Amino acid sequence: MSEYKNTLSLPSTSFSMKANLSTKEPEIIKSWDEISLLDILYKKNKGNQKYILHDGPPYANGNIHMGHALNKILKDIIVKHKTMCGFNVPFVPGWDCHGLPVEHQLFKKLGKDKNEVDQIQFRKKAKDYACHYVAVQKEEFQRLGVFGDWENPYLTLDPSYEAQIINCFKVLVEKGFVYKGSKPVHWCPTCETALAEAEVEYEAHTSPSIFVRFPLLELPEGWSSTKKPYVLIWTTTPWTLPGNVAIAVHPELDYIAIESDDSCYICAEGLAASVVEKIGIPNPIRKGLWKGRELEGLTAGHPFIDRKSPLVFAEYVTLDQG
């Protein structure tokens, strides 16, 4: 039988792991600090293969909760396991000190909204608020026994960190990945700010998807059909139709006209077969072909409101559904 020996010699402890952990755990963590356990581990594995855990930073906007604990403890298990396997694991904790979560909590504390504060003074308060909770959360994470370089964390409000963000952005610009365009953004009427996709929480809702025809008031160049012209749209949010003010087309997609017995419908060529099948166009005849950019400037009438809906360009239009 093989005999396994621990290559790391540490002072033995006399702690008995039976209840009273609220007292014993701080003593265990204190003993780790007294012998500089993390330094011992770093020296032991120095020069070995590195294992880097990229940890998404928590917001510095309050005390930690069960979500923080679950996140940090699970990741700490990985850090400790890899360290015990001999990897060099220089785990560097950090905090996100900018953004809506920090501002939202500070507004609650101040009892004010964004229209009642001086922007410059509020930013200074937000920095102080974030730094306060960096210190609070650091102590709480250390209380959980999480290993890490707690004396040298990264903070997103640190000027050197912000400078690196600018440098990364510079590289993206130089490589041509940054461009100016138009797209819809989520807006929170309560917080009065734009929201990222990940910040939007949807309630479960089932609604019908429908095809809607908008009568064309102007015809594209080369139009040859004598049937009544329409532009087709497809939507899963029919309740938004009263607010419709435009019809989006992709400038580089191909669009065709499909003629039926009494009407002629413009739709994306890539969806023509699906449209014919789903709305049941009898005896379809293909009429014309246009790039989306050739349709710019045309207008259609709203199907049930006395209002015009111009055709506009939008890069987000796809052929995935519809």
Side-chain angles (χ1 to χ4, degrees):
M1 180 180 294
S2 301
E3 181 180 357
Y4 293 89
K5 294 183 178 179
N6 189 344
T7 59
L8 178 62
S9 297
L10 298 176
S12 61
T13 61
S14 59
F15 298 118
S16 174
M17 296 301 289
K18 55 180 182 179
N20 201 27
L21 291 180
S22 61
T23 299
K24 294 184 181 299
E25 284 182 353
E27 294 176 358
I28 294 173
I29 295 172
K30 181 180 178 181
S31 72
W32 291 351
D33 290 338
E34 289 175 347
I35 64 173
S36 300
L37 177 58
L38 198 57
D39 290 338
I40 294 174
L41 294 173
Y42 283 158
K43 291 177 181 178
K44 170 181 174 289
N45 296 335
K46 184 178 181 180
N48 293 356
Q49 180 181 348
K50 283 189 176 182
Y51 181 87
I52 307 298
L53 176 67
H54 295 284
D55 182 19
Y59 281 110
N61 68 333
N63 295 79
I64 67 172
H65 48 66
M66 287 303 296
H68 291 106
L70 177 63
N71 180 290
K72 274 291 189 288
I73 290 172
L74 290 178
K75 291 174 180 176
D76 186 55
I77 291 173
I78 297 173
V79 169
K80 286 187 170 76
H81 168 70
K82 291 297 183 179
T83 299
M84 293 171 69
C85 289
F87 287 89
N88 180 10
V89 190
F91 177 64
V92 180
W95 279 270
D96 190 338
C97 307
H98 293 113
L100 181 61
V102 174
E103 294 179 1
H104 182 65
Q105 291 299 323
L106 181 53
F107 278 130
K108 287 172 60 176
K109 179 181 178 181
L110 296 175
K112 298 180 179 180
D113 61 36
K114 71 175 187 178
N115 297 314
E116 299 175 299
V117 297
D118 176 81
Q119 291 188 9
I120 302 300
Q121 292 302 315
F122 182 77
R123 290 172 192 164
K124 293 179 180 178
K125 289 181 181 294
K127 178 181 178 180
D128 294 340
Y129 186 85
C131 289
H132 168 73
Y133 278 105
V134 165
V136 170
Q137 290 189 9
K138 179 168 72 170
E139 182 177 341
E140 292 171 336
F141 286 138
Q142 288 176 297
R143 172 62 182 84
L144 294 176
V146 176
F147 279 1
D149 188 0
W150 295 107
E151 298 307 313
N152 299 288
Y154 69 89
L155 306 178
T156 60
L157 58 70
D158 190 300
S160 63
Y161 187 95
E162 294 174 323
Q164 286 304 313
I165 294 176
I166 296 174
N167 286 334
C168 290
F169 184 73
K170 173 177 175 287
V171 173
L172 293 175
V173 171
E174 291 174 344
K175 292 187 176 182
F177 294 138
V178 178
Y179 63 92
K180 182 179 180 180
S182 299
K183 63 176 292 184
V185 295
H186 299 287
W187 178 263
C188 176
T190 302
C191 301
E192 297 181 293
T193 187
L195 297 177
E197 179 68 32
E199 295 175 313
V200 179
E201 296 183 7
Y202 294 95
E203 292 185 7
H205 179 80
T206 301
S207 60
S209 64
I210 61 172
F211 289 90
V212 184
R213 63 183 194 179
F214 285 65
L216 262 180
L217 305 180
E218 301 165 357
L219 299 178
E221 186 176 348
W223 183 269
S224 61
S225 175
T226 59
K227 306 299 174 64
K228 191 167 183 178
Y230 294 94
V231 175
L232 277 181
I233 72 162
W234 175 81
T235 180
T236 57
T237 56
W239 63 87
T240 64
L241 285 173
N244 177 277
V245 293
I247 299 171
V249 297
H250 195 293
E252 299 305 322
L253 289 181
D254 292 323
Y255 289 83
I256 65 170
I258 304 174
E259 190 177 90
S260 67
D261 290 343
D262 59 354
S263 305
C264 195
Y265 303 101
I266 289 182
C267 68
E269 184 179 33
L271 293 170
S274 173
V275 168
V276 168
E277 178 184 355
K278 290 180 179 178
I279 68 176
I281 299 178
N283 307 315
I285 300 174
R286 174 172 169 154
K287 290 277 187 176
L289 173 67
W290 302 270
K291 284 289 186 183
R293 60 177 176 270
E294 298 178 78
L295 303 178
E296 184 184 25
L298 299 182
T299 56
H302 193 282
F304 53 85
I305 297 177
D306 185 16
R307 179 196 301 152
K308 293 182 179 180
S309 295
L311 274 63
V312 297
F313 294 161
E315 297 285 345
Y316 58 80
V317 174
T318 70
L319 298 178
D320 294 340
Q321 298 184 73

